[in-house]
């Protein structure tokens, strides 16, 4: 079946007398047709990419004594064969100015008179063989040149050359070239379309550079080739490929990757780029180089490394994969392999023999591959597909071979897109476009368009066009295609039961993502070997990990201390409520005593959430990734949301509980100080509990606002902190502990403000206790307050440095913190309540009250006297002598004593105790 992709046939030109024009240093000639006066330029393009290998089959001797026979055959690789076909179709479309694949090509080549004579020589994937083929091409040209100079036809010894000439004249469908095939045979190559493998390109390009023959490749990606003499390529370096690979691994969160690579130019440079970009993207690389003699050892070392994500840079992928499968490091759910430039795996025609390659088929199930991604070009794929069914086109391709016999009895397979057919097509097209655009007017030669190798190479590096691989442009300093616009694809491969049969295993693949610079466009989830999309861990589980979890006994200890605080708080709360009518309780203002108990109770509950971070199993085993917890990063917020709440609730409970407790003492003593400081202008002023809560409102407001700021802007979050120095073979810390860490450094500033505010409250309580020190102990609790504050300060001074020292030990830290909290709370409760409890049955002697009030009055500027009126204690203000003051108490003493004896020191109806001045003003204490 003939292809229908738009052959363009120029008019037939019958043979005619010709002459040629040459230029010193140029391998391009101008052919003149003396009959019609037309001329065109002609140059020979030689392709040296390998597409086959030689296989020797030995036939053993039979029973009749026949000697063993060795048969040599060519084994073609379909991917490389169609790379060669792509270069052939490019040269054909250029010569015919065919715009089927590139519609803009005819306009681009308008007025161009340059044509290729295309010759393909199979380099057989060997630098030596490719170089040998190049030398043979040059020697063949020299042979024709000698024959032309002698005006003789080839002799019997040159029958092969004569046969080749006749075949090319017969099968060359570019009619303008057909009459001039003999002239083309005498041409040395003006350019070389080079090898696929970088190691071969390095060898051949070195030779070509010495001969001043430009060399271009569409497949060699080694960065080592950059800047070689007379070199160009229509692909980017593997430096760009490596960056794309690391961008993908980084997007997966994979931080450990093993690289197994072939020890040649391509593999070594690819590996170097992977290491470079691995460091940039935070991916640690462990490398295993191999050659044909060390594959087994490299695979064994790779297995010992226990890396699970493996990036493979291979030439002979079957040998590597087969040995890896043998050692159980591929074809298993825990291993993820990605092969570099193994586009063949994803082809629809890719298959493996069921009898001999079952291990390879199982190994490839769930692997991936990374390749250059070219936007699909329908017409190019149609042209390539048609080749397998177009016998006439196949004959023309075979005729272009230096050794056409290698295709004897060969059936061309169906085309399967490979990773580089697009760029190979464009490499040949770039040569033609550059030759058409060359301008030698500055050379001073009459033949301005017969260029030298150096002139052509300089023009080639300035060439720019839109090809089937995208926009093609070269970096003049390196000869490498610029990376702008090029993308990479990640694909996975799975065994297909539906496509496989009794003879062969076949596969299906899907595009996972397309990578462009740092951007990833996702298409399908990666399906791994276990047929799920669940990404396996990058490394084996950590063995011997020390998590420093809070033991159960430590939690019980903390809960017991917290329970003790809560029980004592509840006990004293109930006692105050029951004994609220007792003089010593009523004089100590029961409301504030109850408030103190509520505050310590809340502080006691903080021991419960404080134990959660140290006992948490979050981020351990399969979910634990130590690298997620370096510094102050917060990973896995959903998994640790409960721990984050525990961290913040502990801070809230401690601060709020402390605020309630100490503000109770502040309010209580502020009430007494206000009583003492009432001015003479005040008349009958009542100081209620609500008015006394002013210190509480201020303190609680300040602390709550600061806590809200912390919660919103820089909350405490649960993290596992790594203990440095104890690591496994992968550099993973084996020891860690859970703790609460602030989300930002602003936490410490806000916490400092909270501490300053509460210390200021403590200092206020101390000052007011000193002011009211002369009041009876039943009223002021100055001594008890002083002892409580001293107990608190002592606990903080001793305990805080200890907390800092044991911060890295969750168990000790929790024990010390719980103990400090217990000492603080019980210290306040016991010091304030035990003296009251001991005096619960004591009848308070009024004389002590009188003496105390006398001392207070004597110390004030407005000398006060105490009298009793209507069941209240009255403080008459004037300027009498101390004696008068004392005398004024005596008449009333018996009455107060009687009132005291009856249990009614103040009004039984209202429970009001009052201080009245001589001018009639009173201060009331309810």
């Amino acid at each position: 079946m003939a292809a229908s992709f738009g052959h363009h046939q120029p008019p037939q030109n019958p043979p005619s007398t010709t002459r040629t024009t040459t230029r010193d240093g140029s391998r391009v000639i101008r052919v003149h047709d003396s009959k019609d006066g037309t001329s065109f330029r002609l140059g020979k393009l030689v392709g040296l990419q390998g597409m086959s290998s030689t296989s020797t089959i030995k036939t053993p001797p039979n029973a009749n004594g026949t000697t063993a026979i060795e048969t040599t055959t060519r084994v073609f690789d379909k991917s490389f064969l169609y790379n060669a076909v792509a270069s052939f179709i490019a040269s054909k479309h250029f010569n015919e100015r065919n715009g089927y694949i590139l519609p803009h090509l005819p306009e681009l080549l308008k007025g161009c008179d340059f044509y290729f004579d295309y010759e393909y020589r199979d380099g057989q994937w060997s630098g030596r063989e490719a170089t040998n083929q190049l030398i043979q091409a040059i020697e063949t040209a020299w042979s024709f040149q000698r024959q032309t100079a002698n005006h003789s036809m080839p002799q019997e010894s040159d029958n092969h050359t004569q046969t080749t000439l006749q075949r090319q004249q017969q099968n060359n469908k570019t009619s303008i070239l057909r009459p001039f095939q003999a002239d083309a045979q005498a041409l040395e190559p003006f350019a070389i379309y080079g090898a696929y493998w970088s190691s071969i390109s390095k060898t051949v390009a070195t030779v070509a550079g010495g001969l001043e023959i430009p060399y271009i490749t569409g497949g060699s990606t080694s960065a080592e080739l950059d800047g070689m003499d007379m070199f160009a390529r229509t692909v980017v370096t593997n430096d760009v490929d490596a960056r794309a690979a690391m961008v993908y691994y980084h997007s997966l969160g994979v931080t450990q990757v093993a690289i197994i690579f072939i020890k040649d130019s391509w593999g070594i440079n690819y590996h170097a780029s992977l290491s470079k970009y691995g460091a940039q993207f935070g991916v640690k690389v462990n490398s295993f180089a191999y050659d044909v003699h060390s594959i087994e050892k490299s695979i064994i070392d790779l297995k010992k490394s226990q890396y699970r994500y493996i990036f493979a840079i291979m030439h002979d992928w079957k040998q590597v994969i087969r040995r890896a499968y043998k050692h159980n490091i591929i074809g298993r759910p825990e291993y993820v392999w990605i092969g570099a430039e193994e586009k063949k795996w994803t082809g629809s025609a890719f298959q493996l023999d069921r009898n001999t390659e079952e291990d390879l088929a199982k190994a490839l199930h769930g692997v991936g591959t990374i390749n250059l991604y070219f936007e699909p070009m329908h017409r190019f794929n149609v042209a390539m597909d048609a080749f397998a069914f177009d016998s006439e086109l196949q004959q023309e391709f075979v005729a272009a071979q230096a050794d056409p016999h290698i295709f004897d009895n060969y059936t061309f397979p169906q085309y399967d897109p490979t990773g580089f057919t697009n760029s190979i097509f464009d490499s040949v097209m770039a040569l033609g476009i550059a030759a058409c655009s060359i301008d030698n007017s500055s050379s001073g030669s009459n033949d301005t368009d017969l260029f030298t190798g150096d002139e052509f190479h300089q023009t080639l590096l300035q060439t720019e066009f839109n090809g089937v691989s995208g926009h093609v442009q070269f970096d003049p300093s390196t000869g490498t295609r610029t990376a702008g616009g090029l993308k990479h694809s990640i694909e996975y491969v799975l065994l297909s039961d539906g496509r496989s049969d009794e003879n062969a295993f076949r596969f299906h693949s899907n595009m996972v993502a397309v990578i462009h610079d740092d951007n990833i466009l996702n298409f399908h989830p990666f399906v791994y070997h276990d047929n799920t999309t669940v990404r396996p861990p990058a490394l084996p589980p950590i063995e011997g990990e020390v998590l420093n979890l809070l033991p159960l006994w430590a939690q019980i200890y903390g809960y017991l201390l917290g329970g003790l605080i809560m029980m004592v708080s509840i006990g004293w709360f109930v006692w105050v409520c029951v004994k609220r009518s007792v003089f010593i309780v009523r004089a100590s203002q029961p409301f504030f005593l109850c408030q103190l108990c509520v505050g310590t109770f809340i502080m006691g509950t903080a021991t419960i959430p404080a134990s959660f971070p140290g006992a948490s199993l979050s981020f351990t085993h399969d979910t634990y990734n130590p690298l997620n917890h370096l510094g102050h990063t917060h990973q896995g917020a959903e998994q640790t949301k409960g721990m984050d709440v525990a961290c913040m609730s502990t801070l809230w409970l401690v601060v709020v509980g402390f605020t309630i407790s100490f503000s109770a003492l502040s309010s209580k003593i502020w009430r007494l100080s206000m009583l003492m400081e009432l001015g003479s202008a005040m008349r009958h002023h009542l100081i209620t509990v609500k008015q006394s809560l002013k210190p509480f409102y201020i303190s609680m407001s300040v602390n709550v606002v600061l806590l809200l700021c912390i919660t919103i802007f820089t909350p405490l979050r649960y993290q596992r902190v790594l203990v440095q120095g104890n690591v496994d073979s992968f550099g993973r810390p084996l020891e860690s502990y859970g703790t609460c860490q602030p989300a930002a450094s602003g936490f410490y500033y806000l916490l400092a403000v909270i501490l300053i505010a509460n210390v200021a409250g403590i200092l206020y309580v101390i000052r007011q206790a000193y002011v009211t020190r002369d009041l009876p102990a039943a009223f002021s609790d100055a001594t008890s307050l002083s002892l409580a504050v001293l107990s608190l300060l002592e606990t903080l001074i001793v305990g805080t440095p200890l907390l800092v020292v044991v911060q890295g030990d969750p168990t000790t830290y929790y024990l010390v913190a719980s103990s400090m909290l217990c000492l603080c709370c019980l210290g306040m409760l016991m010091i304030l309540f035990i003296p009251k409890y001991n005096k619960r049955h004591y009848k308070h002697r009024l004389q002590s009250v009188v003496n105390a009030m006398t001392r207070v009055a004597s110390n004030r500027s407005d000398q006060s006297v105490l009298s009793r009126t209507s069941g209240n204690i009255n403080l008459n203000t004037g300027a009498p002598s101390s004696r008068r003051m004392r005398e004024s108490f005596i008449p009333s003493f018996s009455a107060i004593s009687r009132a005291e004896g009856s249990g009614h020191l103040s009004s039984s109806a209202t429970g009001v105790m009052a201080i009245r001045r001589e001018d009639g003003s009173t201060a009331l204490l309810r």
Side-chain angles (χ1 to χ4, degrees):
M1 180 176 66
S4 58
F5 52 88
H7 287 314
H8 171 70
Q9 297 290 348
Q12 295 289 332
N13 286 333
S16 60
T17 304
T18 64
R19 66 181 180 87
T20 60
T21 302
T22 62
R23 175 192 170 197
D24 290 342
S26 174
R27 293 182 174 89
V28 176
I29 64 172
R30 177 169 292 281
V31 180
H32 301 270
D33 189 334
S34 58
K35 183 176 180 180
D36 58 12
T38 61
S39 68
F40 62 91
R41 290 177 297 157
L42 182 63
K44 173 171 287 190
L45 172 63
V46 173
L48 293 176
Q49 179 183 292
M51 60 181 173
S52 69
S53 61
T54 302
S55 176
T56 302
I57 301 176
K58 292 184 178 181
T59 303
N62 56 26
N64 298 328
T66 305
T67 58
I69 301 174
E70 291 187 356
T71 304
T72 301
T73 61
R74 286 292 185 97
V75 179
F76 288 91
D77 184 290
K78 186 179 70 171
S79 298
F80 291 98
L81 171 63
Y82 272 96
N83 286 342
V85 170
S87 67
F88 163 73
I89 291 179
S91 67
K92 181 176 179 62
H93 279 228
F94 173 81
N95 282 341
E96 297 177 355
R97 309 312 193 238
N98 189 333
Y100 177 77
I101 295 177
L102 297 178
H104 59 283
L105 185 63
E107 182 65 26
L108 185 63
L109 302 181
K110 187 176 182 180
C112 177
D113 64 350
F114 180 83
Y115 293 88
F116 289 135
D117 177 63
Y118 177 80
E119 181 181 74
Y120 194 90
R121 292 177 172 269
D122 186 7
Q124 299 187 47
W125 309 317
S126 165
R128 176 181 295 179
E129 179 61 25
T131 303
N132 182 54
Q133 290 293 331
L134 173 58
I135 294 172
Q136 287 185 21
I138 296 173
E139 288 180 343
T140 300
W142 289 348
S143 175
F144 268 91
Q145 290 173 13
R146 288 193 299 268
Q147 293 166 10
T148 303
N150 295 330
H151 302 285
S152 61
M153 291 300 293
Q155 302 300 317
E156 190 66 27
S157 60
D158 296 320
N159 284 337
H160 174 72
T161 303
Q162 185 177 10
T163 302
T164 300
L165 174 61
Q166 292 172 350
R167 184 185 65 253
Q168 291 178 342
Q169 289 176 335
Q170 178 181 355
N171 291 287
N172 196 326
K173 303 305 179 184
T174 307
S175 58
I176 193 173
L177 299 182
R178 195 178 303 147
F180 312 109
Q181 205 67 56
D183 296 305
Q185 289 295 320
L187 289 176
E188 298 176 40
F190 84 97
I192 298 170
Y193 149 61
Y196 177 86
W197 299 117
S198 297
S199 57
I200 301 175
S201 282
K202 180 182 178 182
T203 301
V204 181
T206 301
V207 176
L211 297 172
E212 296 187 358
I213 303 175
Y215 180 99
I216 192 168
T217 175
S220 300
T221 59
S222 172
E224 188 179 11
L225 301 176
D226 275 347
M228 289 190 69
D229 193 22
M230 310 298 285
F231 175 79
R233 53 182 158 189
T234 52
V235 288
V236 293
T237 67
N238 44 36
D239 187 78
V240 181
D241 301 336
R243 190 181 193 281
M246 287 304 166
V247 167
Y248 178 69
Y249 280 127
H250 179 69
S251 72
L252 296 180
V254 174
T255 58
Q256 309 272 350
V257 175
I259 301 174
I260 183 167
F261 64 97
I262 182 72
K263 287 193 289 187
D264 68 356
S265 175
W266 174 59
I268 292 171
N269 283 278
Y270 206 140
H271 161 257
S273 296
L274 286 169
S275 300
K276 178 179 69 174
Y277 289 113
Q280 178 178 329
F281 288 99
V283 180
K284 183 181 178 182
V285 168
N286 196 4
S287 307
F288 303 89
Y290 80 92
D291 55 28
V292 293
H293 305 294
S294 61
I295 296 179
E296 186 75 16
K297 180 180 182 303
S298 297
I299 292 297
I300 293 173
D301 292 341
L302 177 58
K303 181 178 181 178
K304 290 179 181 178
S305 73
Q306 300 187 69
Y307 276 67
R308 303 301 175 85
Y309 283 75
I310 301 169
F311 192 89
I313 307 169
M314 308 170 288
H315 286 334
D316 40 6
W317 69 269
K318 288 186 178 182
Q319 295 185 44
V320 176
I321 296 298
R322 180 161 274 147
R323 285 173 171 81
Y325 184 78
K326 171 186 172 183
H327 290 282
N328 296 316
I329 58 173
I330 192 174
R332 297 173 62 87
E334 62 268 30
Y335 289 94
V336 181
W337 282 60
I338 291 181
E341 301 179 11
E342 298 293 350
K343 181 68 176 177
K344 64 176 83 59
W345 293 347
T346 67
S348 60
F350 177 71
Q351 64 182 38
L352 296 173
D353 185 83
R354 183 174 285 273
N355 296 321
T356 61
E357 297 179 321
E358 182 179 2
D359 55 343
L360 293 176
K362 293 179 178 179
L364 289 184
H365 183 72
V367 304
T369 178
I370 182 170
N371 299 279
L372 274 173
Y373 174 76
F374 302 114
E375 296 291 342
M377 180 167 281
H378 176 69
R379 291 193 173 191
F380 176 71
N381 290 332
V382 168
M384 296 293 289
D385 286 333
F387 179 85
F389 307 101
D390 189 336
S391 59
E392 187 176 323
L393 195 60
Q394 293 171 8
Q395 290 175 9
E396 191 173 349
F397 172 72
V398 172
Q401 306 298 313
D403 183 9
H405 298 291
I406 62 176
F407 287 100
D408 289 347
N409 301 317
Y410 180 75
T411 301
F412 284 90
Q414 185 179 350
Y415 167 68
D416 232 358
T418 67
F420 292 94
T421 50
N422 298 57
S423 58
I424 288 171
F425 179 94
D426 283 344
S427 66
V428 175
M429 197 61 70
L431 294 174
I433 294 173
C436 286
S437 61
I438 199 164
D439 180 7
N440 285 344
S441 59
S442 61
S443 67
S445 172
N446 294 327
D447 302 303
T448 57
D449 49 6
L450 301 182
F451 45 79
T452 64
D454 182 66
E455 291 167 348
F456 177 69
H457 181 251
Q458 294 301 318
T459 304
L460 175 62
L461 298 185
Q462 301 300 322
T463 300
E464 184 177 350
F465 67 100
N466 292 320
V468 296
S469 64
H471 186 73
V472 178
Q473 186 176 4
F474 299 95
D475 181 348
S477 62
T478 62
T480 297
R481 180 176 179 171
T482 56
L486 285 181
K487 304 174 183 178
H488 290 78
S489 65
I490 302 290
E491 299 172 84
Y492 68 82
V493 178
L494 294 177
L495 263 173
S496 174
D497 293 334
R499 298 187 66 241
S500 299
D501 56 32
E502 60 183 7
N503 297 318
F505 293 102
R506 296 183 179 87
F507 302 80
H508 75 266
S509 64
N510 261 329
M511 184 83 70
V512 176
V514 171
I515 305 166
H516 182 214
D517 294 332
D518 291 339
N519 303 312
I520 299 180
L521 179 61
N522 293 305
F523 290 91
H524 298 92
F526 199 113
V527 179
Y528 299 96
H529 182 80
D530 57 359
N531 296 316
T532 71
T533 58
V534 179
R535 182 174 63 84
L539 294 173
I542 299 177
E543 297 181 1
E545 183 179 13
V546 180
L547 299 175
N548 289 309
L549 298 178
L550 195 63
L552 181 61
W553 65 264
Q555 297 180 61
I556 294 174
Y557 174 83
Y559 295 161
L560 288 176
L561 292 183
L564 179 62
I565 296 171
M566 291 185 280
M567 290 178 62
V568 172
S569 299
I570 292 172
W572 286 123
F573 184 93
V574 172
W575 183 80
V576 169
C577 293
V578 173
K579 300 295 184 178
R580 63 184 180 279
S581 61
V582 175
F583 172 80
I584 192 66
V585 176
R586 191 170 70 255
S588 298
Q589 308 177 64
F591 176 84
F592 299 111
L593 295 179
C594 291
Q595 182 180 344
L596 173 64
C597 293
V598 171
T600 54
F601 180 89
I602 293 175
M603 292 173 69
T605 61
T607 59
I608 298 174
S611 68
F612 293 163
S616 174
L617 289 173
S618 298
F619 289 112
T620 59
H621 306 300
D622 290 341
T623 62
Y624 176 48
N625 182 356
L627 297 179
N628 289 341
H629 306 281
L630 293 172
H632 293 288
T633 58
H634 180 58
Q635 303 287 334
E638 291 298 324
Q639 296 175 332
T640 60
K641 188 175 181 179
M643 295 300 101
D644 294 345
V645 173
C647 289
M648 282 307 305
S649 63
T650 301
L651 181 63
W652 273 86
L653 291 172
V654 171
V655 174
V656 170
F658 182 83
T659 302
I660 293 174
S661 300
F662 250 83
S663 62
L665 301 178
S666 301
S667 298
K668 178 176 181 294
I669 205 165
W670 178 82
R671 194 180 191 191
L672 290 174
S673 65
M674 288 298 296
L675 177 68
M676 300 301 299
E677 295 176 3
L678 287 171
S680 58
M682 186 195 317
R683 301 184 64 81
H684 197 72
H685 187 81
L686 181 64
I687 306 176
T688 64
V689 170
K690 185 176 181 179
Q691 292 173 320
S692 303
L693 288 175
K694 183 177 179 181
F696 168 75
Y697 294 144
I698 295 174
S699 179
M700 183 60 74
S701 298
V702 171
N703 282 288
V704 168
V705 169
L706 291 172
L707 287 173
L708 285 174
C709 291
I710 290 177
T711 304
I712 296 172
F713 300 109
T714 173
L716 288 173
R717 288 173 170 170
Y718 169 79
Q719 289 184 352
R720 291 209 68 84
V721 178
L722 308 178
V723 177
Q724 302 299 324
N726 187 9
V727 298
D728 64 5
S729 58
F730 302 104
R732 296 179 295 182
L734 293 176
E735 186 174 1
S736 64
Y737 61 90
T739 186
C740 296
Q741 296 283 353
S745 59
F747 167 84
Y748 298 104
Y749 298 106
L750 294 172
L751 183 63
V753 176
I754 291 177
L755 293 175
I756 292 172
N758 286 280
V759 169
I762 295 174
L763 295 177
Y764 174 79
V765 170
I766 295 175
R767 176 186 177 279
Q768 294 302 103
Y770 177 79
V771 170
T772 60
R773 66 189 182 280
D774 292 329
L775 286 177
F779 292 94
S780 68
D781 292 323
T783 302
S784 298
L785 280 175
S786 300
L787 291 175
V789 171
L790 288 175
S791 174
L792 174 65
L793 293 176
E794 182 181 11
T795 302
L796 293 177
I797 291 172
V798 174
T800 301
L802 187 59
L803 283 177
V804 174
V805 172
V806 301
Q807 188 176 10
D809 186 345
T811 300
T812 307
Y813 186 88
Y814 179 70
L815 295 177
V816 173
S818 300
S819 300
M820 288 178 60
L821 187 65
C822 182
L823 289 175
C824 290
C825 293
L826 295 184
M828 287 191 294
L829 291 172
M830 295 305 182
I831 291 174
L832 288 170
F833 278 99
I834 288 179
K836 303 181 189 310
Y837 180 80
N838 291 335
K839 295 179 180 180
R840 66 190 184 284
H841 300 303
Y842 179 65
K843 297 290 186 179
H844 200 290
R845 305 316 306 168
L846 187 60
Q847 184 58 51
S848 63
V849 178
V850 172
N851 293 338
M853 290 297 185
T854 301
R855 289 195 303 272
V856 172
S858 300
N859 292 333
R860 297 182 64 85
S861 60
D862 55 355
Q863 297 294 324
S864 305
V865 232
L866 186 66
S867 63
R868 183 177 185 277
T869 304
S870 303
N872 296 326
I873 298 177
N874 303 303
L875 189 61
N876 299 308
T877 307
S881 65
S882 299
R883 178 178 178 181
R884 177 187 172 189
M885 184 189 306
R886 288 192 298 272
E887 289 173 352
S888 66
F889 287 127
I890 295 174
S892 304
F893 180 80
S894 58
I896 296 176
S897 299
R898 288 191 300 274
E900 183 186 28
S902 63
H904 297 285
L905 180 60
S906 59
S907 173
S908 59
T910 62
V912 175
M913 300 185 69
I915 298 177
R916 176 172 297 163
R917 300 179 183 275
E918 285 186 342
D919 59 2
S921 65
T922 59
L924 306 178
L925 181 63
R926 188 181 296 277

